[in-house]
Amino acid sequence: MNNVNGILLIVGSMAAFALEDMFIKHLSVTVPTGQILVALGLVCGLIFLIMAIATRKSVFDPLAWKPLPIARAATEAFGAITFVTALSLVELSTVAAVFQAMPLAVTMGAALFLGEHVGWRRWSAIGVGFVGVLMIIRPGLEGFQPESLFVVVSVFAIAARDLITRRLDVRIASSVVAFQAYIAVTLAGVVLMVMFAQPIVPLQSAQIGPFIGAIGFGVLGYYGIVTAMRIGEASALTPFRYTRLVFSIAAGMLMFGERPDLMTLAGAALIISSGMYTFLRERRLARETAVTV
């Protein structure tokens, strides 16, 4: 295993995802969110379709079109709608900070729906993490933005996606799963445009660069993570996923003039600390189980 290169790839992937979010937020000022989703879904879906064909994976393998993979694609689409909507309405740093609670939501979902044992220590960490979320969005207090709830919904949608992914047949190629996800994102964009009567905005020359940036960095981030997990140990790489928040805060400050306040930073610190504790606790339990076996 090559953990050093794996860590560099993870950090690079997190930077790429932060830049993708930055470009999407920039585009949302002049382009309807539904149209953004359609464009990203079509182009990225085509890229992964080409990759699947090039690697001789069966795109229309019956295994890939059973209810479970389709359900995964549906959660991906719903998560994309809520996440992009949040990006268009809420500060980038706030979106990124709340989104760090996603691993906690996965752990909670695994306990509630997959029957995985979660002890009181990890339940406590989950509770502390969601206190951090409340500190950031501040429901009922001055400065509360109802739009920030879109990020919370997105967290649970993406957590559901990851939980479903654990149950997918291992014979389904990753490129096929990604292709399905982006097709679902495309359809979600169409639904969004129809439901809210969003107009189709002609592409301007100034928008070409951000679209290329969003698509390019999204694909780079995805493949960076896949490669990192193949060459490095998950236990060494996972903590570095939180660097996405650092890059997102920097992008928000430089591009949009955002200035996260102390409460937001404190909430983000609680979320990250809780996530790290949960991860370390899970790793320790896995080691104890392996020794026992």
Side-chain angles (χ1 to χ4, degrees):
M1 306 297 283
N2 191 334
N3 287 334
V4 174
N5 286 344
I7 289 170
L8 292 175
L9 281 169
I10 283 288
V11 173
S13 297
M14 295 303 103
F17 284 135
L19 289 171
E20 178 192 23
D21 295 344
M22 181 193 75
F23 282 121
I24 290 174
K25 184 171 181 61
H26 175 72
L27 284 168
S28 68
V29 176
T30 55
V31 181
T33 51
Q35 187 173 338
I36 293 173
L37 289 175
V38 169
L40 292 177
L42 285 175
V43 177
C44 292
L46 178 61
I47 290 172
F48 284 109
L49 175 61
I50 293 171
M51 289 179 178
I53 294 172
T55 54
R56 297 184 179 180
K57 305 298 183 184
S58 178
V59 177
F60 298 106
D61 184 343
L63 286 173
W65 298 95
K66 288 187 175 182
L68 202 59
I70 292 174
R72 183 201 179 277
T75 57
E76 180 91 56
F78 188 66
I81 287 177
T82 51
F83 188 77
V84 171
T85 301
L87 279 176
S88 69
L89 300 172
V90 184
E91 289 189 350
L92 177 59
S93 53
T94 299
V95 174
V98 174
F99 199 72
Q100 302 311 305
M102 199 267 290
L104 297 174
V106 170
T107 300
M108 183 173 68
L112 294 175
F113 301 110
L114 300 184
E116 294 186 13
H117 176 70
V118 174
W120 68 269
R121 293 180 181 84
R122 282 186 288 169
W123 276 117
S124 299
I126 290 169
V128 170
F130 282 107
V131 167
V133 172
L134 293 175
M135 289 173 64
I136 296 170
I137 63 177
R138 300 163 216 175
L141 300 178
E142 185 179 355
F144 170 60
Q145 291 180 276
E147 298 87 354
S148 60
L149 295 176
F150 280 112
V151 198
V152 179
V153 175
S154 175
V155 164
F156 285 104
I158 300 303
R161 178 203 68 184
D162 287 356
L163 290 171
I164 292 172
T165 302
R166 294 186 183 185
R167 292 291 186 258
L168 289 184
D169 194 307
V170 295
R171 291 172 290 179
I172 304 174
S174 297
S175 55
V176 175
V177 173
F179 169 70
Q180 289 177 318
Y182 280 112
I183 291 301
V185 168
T186 302
L187 295 175
V190 172
V191 170
L192 201 60
M193 295 183 72
V194 172
M195 285 184 62
F196 296 97
Q198 295 181 352
I200 298 177
V201 176
L203 187 63
Q204 305 295 322
S205 58
Q207 297 165 344
I208 295 175
F211 263 118
I212 293 174
I215 293 167
F217 283 116
V219 172
L220 285 174
Y222 177 87
Y223 266 90
I225 281 186
V226 171
T227 305
M229 290 301 178
R230 285 177 176 172
I231 68 173
E233 297 172 306
S235 59
L237 306 183
T238 298
F240 290 91
R241 285 176 174 264
Y242 290 108
T243 56
R244 180 174 182 172
L245 178 58
V246 177
F247 292 122
S248 294
I249 290 176
M253 293 176 68
L254 294 174
M255 277 292 295
F256 308 111
E258 298 176 1
R259 293 294 182 269
D261 60 18
L262 185 59
M263 186 75 83
T264 297
L265 295 175
L270 270 184
I271 294 170
I272 291 175
S273 300
S274 301
M276 284 299 301
Y277 174 82
T278 302
F279 164 72
L280 293 172
R281 181 69 182 166
E282 288 175 353
R283 185 174 66 172
R284 179 182 175 183
L285 292 173
R287 287 177 176 174
E288 290 176 354
T289 302
V291 171
T292 302
V293 174

